[in-house]
Amino acid sequence: MPFDTYDEVRGYANVIRNVTQDKAMPPSFALPEAGRVREDLSLSPEEISTITAWANAKAPAGNAAEAASSSGSREAFRPEVVVKPTKATPIHSPDGDYLYEIAQTHFKGNRWVQSAEFFTGQPKDLRQAVVFIRPRGSSWLRYAPAGTPFAATKLAKGEPNDPTQRDILVVYAAGSAPATWPASMAKLIPSGADLIFRLQYVPGINVEADQSGVRLTLRKHRPPLRVMTLELKKTNISIPWETSDYRVEARATLALDAVLLGFFPDMHQLGTRFEYGITDEVDNNKNGLCAGHEVLLRVNFDLRWQSSYTLAEPCILKAGTTLQAVAWYDNSASNPRNPNPGVPVYLGDNYGDEASVGFFDVAVPASLPRGKLLIH
């Protein structure tokens, strides 16, 4: 439903009153007792009371002269470079499996990205997208075709899947905002790198063509800090049937000091909750360090409303810190989104499979090579 004009909104006044009173909208999944994030969309009691009074008064119009422009945020984002596959391609997604596309950047020299925005021609039908940076010489997807979408099920057996062979540029889901980094930080797209788009559409979609891409704002010089997206994940799990609160945990230890910036939890239909924490802080006596033995983020997960979560105040993780990502799943008959009731569910790239990945962004000195920042 569009909310761009007063006439469009007025017809939903009572619905808006009801869902804000119930706190069903706007969607906010980060629980406030575990860290503060910028993406907390919840309304204050005063704001909810204002909306209730407005609806009960039959939704009177405000002063049109004081209306804010709806295009201001878009105008503030001015892309300098657009990278996308060479041509729009038909999309057939009968099962909702991951589709991959490889876009060659042809960058002759390193590019430092200050902000990145994913776009698609099918926003109603695209469930999630992850844009990976594949450096020149990486063995990841080395046998895959460029310029032609291919399904995850068509990947060659034995295809290397080492997270150190790639980085993540941007993650997109419904309601995602452009990824932006402070002036002292940026993402690196190395010279000659490719961008690999991993797309998941709504099952059953069949459209003539779609062409996704990313709009990039670049900086002229290398910043002091480089932003990297790391992965905490399990590679082999089985979620038994009729378990409503199945727990999966992954851990890894940081090899270097890093600034912790934010998180993106990744699960599928069975996912219900996700949590990030620290299990062993080397030194928590200095200002700015992430507190030890603490839950950093706790969210109620909903596949329809995936989101990145940015810490309101970045904190420092010392080398030797062990990070923890914990996911919970509901593989029971009471889960209405269960795609395969009655059977155990495994990790995989197919629609009925599950995911268990805790992505998180850190910043390290830009002069450091990517290397292995995590020790599993």
Side-chain angles (χ1 to χ4, degrees):
M1 58 187 73
F3 282 173
D4 293 330
T5 68
Y6 165 71
D7 289 334
E8 291 170 340
V9 175
R10 185 184 183 192
Y12 294 101
N14 290 338
V15 175
I16 294 171
R17 175 196 62 202
N18 295 341
V19 296
T20 53
Q21 286 180 334
D22 294 342
K23 298 185 177 180
M25 292 292 284
S28 184
F29 303 104
L31 303 182
E33 68 269 18
R36 292 178 56 247
V37 295
R38 296 178 185 173
E39 291 78 11
D40 183 6
L41 304 177
S42 57
L43 300 176
S44 68
E46 293 77 17
E47 290 169 330
I48 295 173
S49 296
T50 298
I51 292 174
T52 299
W54 168 74
N56 291 343
K58 299 184 179 180
N63 184 348
E66 297 177 357
S69 169
S70 62
S71 61
S73 61
R74 296 287 302 173
E75 292 174 352
F77 186 86
R78 294 174 179 167
E80 298 175 2
V81 175
V82 174
V83 179
K84 57 186 178 181
T86 54
K87 60 181 180 180
T89 55
I91 299 297
H92 305 287
S93 180
D95 302 317
D97 296 346
Y98 288 139
L99 296 177
Y100 288 82
E101 288 187 87
I102 300 176
Q104 297 173 317
T105 64
H106 303 291
F107 289 157
K108 297 179 180 179
N110 293 339
R111 297 293 187 272
W112 291 97
V113 181
Q114 196 71 63
S115 57
E117 180 183 41
F118 175 88
F119 64 88
T120 176
Q122 300 293 328
K124 293 182 180 179
D125 298 314
L126 184 65
R127 172 170 286 167
Q128 185 199 75
V130 180
V131 182
F132 296 92
I133 302 168
R134 183 179 66 176
R136 180 190 296 167
S138 171
S139 60
W140 183 50
L141 296 180
R142 60 186 174 188
Y143 303 117
T148 302
F150 57 93
T153 53
K154 302 299 183 182
L155 295 178
K157 292 184 178 180
E159 177 70 56
N161 194 24
D162 183 356
T164 64
Q165 296 283 318
R166 61 182 185 247
D167 196 2
I168 293 175
L169 177 62
V170 66
V171 178
Y172 167 87
S176 294
T180 60
W181 296 282
S184 61
M185 307 176 187
K187 283 265 187 174
L188 172 63
I189 301 180
S191 176
D194 298 324
L195 297 187
I196 296 182
F197 294 74
R198 192 189 75 183
L199 311 169
Q200 187 180 44
Y201 292 88
V202 173
I205 183 176
N206 187 4
V207 299
E208 292 183 0
D210 184 24
Q211 188 170 30
S212 301
V214 285
R215 302 181 180 97
L216 309 176
T217 299
L218 305 177
R219 41 183 305 144
K220 294 181 179 180
H221 305 291
R222 186 180 73 181
L225 297 174
R226 174 184 176 183
V227 178
M228 299 184 187
T229 301
L230 306 180
E231 303 177 32
L232 275 174
K233 68 178 182 179
K234 297 291 285 188
T235 58
N236 185 21
I237 66 172
S238 172
I239 305 172
W241 167 241
E242 285 298 2
T243 54
S244 60
D245 203 30
Y246 189 77
R247 185 180 185 274
V248 174
E249 179 180 336
R251 294 188 182 191
T253 301
L254 272 178
L256 303 170
D257 292 359
V259 180
L260 179 62
L261 303 175
F263 314 92
F264 183 86
D266 187 17
M267 299 188 284
H268 291 167
Q269 289 91 340
L270 303 185
T272 59
R273 292 181 289 144
F274 206 97
E275 184 176 289
Y276 290 86
I278 298 173
T279 61
D280 182 20
E281 178 60 74
V282 175
D283 179 2
N284 61 4
N285 296 319
K286 296 180 181 179
N287 292 333
L289 293 187
C290 302
H293 307 283
E294 182 179 342
V295 175
L296 300 174
L297 178 73
R298 182 179 290 132
V299 301
N300 290 324
F301 185 82
D302 189 328
L303 184 64
R304 300 166 298 177
W305 294 95
Q306 299 172 85
S307 175
S308 296
Y309 298 92
T310 308
L311 289 175
E313 296 293 337
C315 57
I316 299 172
L317 296 170
K318 299 295 288 184
T321 299
T322 297
L323 289 98
Q324 177 188 47
V326 185
W328 285 267
Y329 301 87
D330 181 0
N331 187 18
S332 70
S334 61
N335 184 352
R337 295 194 295 275
N338 194 333
N340 295 308
V343 298
V345 177
Y346 305 92
L347 294 181
D349 286 343
N350 299 326
Y351 176 73
D353 296 333
E354 263 303 330
S356 183
V357 185
F359 296 111
F360 61 101
D361 283 350
V362 297
V364 298
S367 58
L368 291 175
R370 180 175 175 87
K372 289 191 175 180
L373 289 179
L374 287 181
I375 304 170
H376 293 274

